[in-house]
Amino acid sequence: MGIGVSLRDLRHDEFGFLTDDADDSFRKMCQEAPADALRRGVLQHGHTMFNSLQLRRLVDELEGLRSEEMTPAISAILEAAKQAIRKSGYLYFIGD
């Protein structure tokens, strides 16, 4: 099982959930990120939570990827981050 992503609102209520693809493209992209990238902090075997301020940086990082790096799973997580920002919420990454 790959990384799961829970979309949480301001009160931490879940309003959506998605998972990485079969190739674990989001997890691999995070592991291969530069050391100072926010996405490098997503834990493969633990839980990571980014608030709406941190998600703005994650959105910038994901939008900066080359088109060949943007898989459907990464694109879905990018959209989830934007939804969470609109709700002043969080993305909660759940490692396996």
Side-chain angles (χ1 to χ4, degrees):
M1 181 178 142
I3 291 176
V5 183
S6 174
L7 289 75
R8 308 279 177 104
D9 63 17
L10 187 59
R11 297 180 339 178
H12 293 260
D13 294 330
E14 185 174 83
F15 66 91
F17 190 86
L18 50 112
T19 60
D20 204 353
D21 56 27
D23 294 328
D24 288 334
S25 64
F26 180 76
R27 180 191 56 79
K28 290 176 184 173
M29 181 267 311
C30 290
Q31 288 180 325
E32 295 168 359
D36 62 344
L38 182 71
R39 64 188 189 266
R40 184 73 180 258
V42 175
L43 301 175
Q44 178 180 354
H45 299 292
H47 298 177
T48 308
M49 184 178 283
F50 292 151
N51 63 34
S52 57
L53 292 175
Q54 293 164 317
L55 288 174
R56 286 181 174 84
R57 180 170 170 197
L58 181 65
V59 166
D60 289 344
E61 290 180 15
L62 297 182
E63 287 180 338
L65 293 174
R66 296 185 319 265
S67 60
E68 60 270 12
E69 296 175 293
M70 185 61 72
T71 66
I74 295 171
S75 182
I77 292 170
L78 171 60
E79 291 308 310
K82 291 177 181 179
Q83 287 179 346
I85 290 168
R86 285 192 294 273
K87 291 183 177 265
S88 298
Y90 305 83
L91 285 188
Y92 187 64
F93 298 91
I94 305 160
D96 54 326

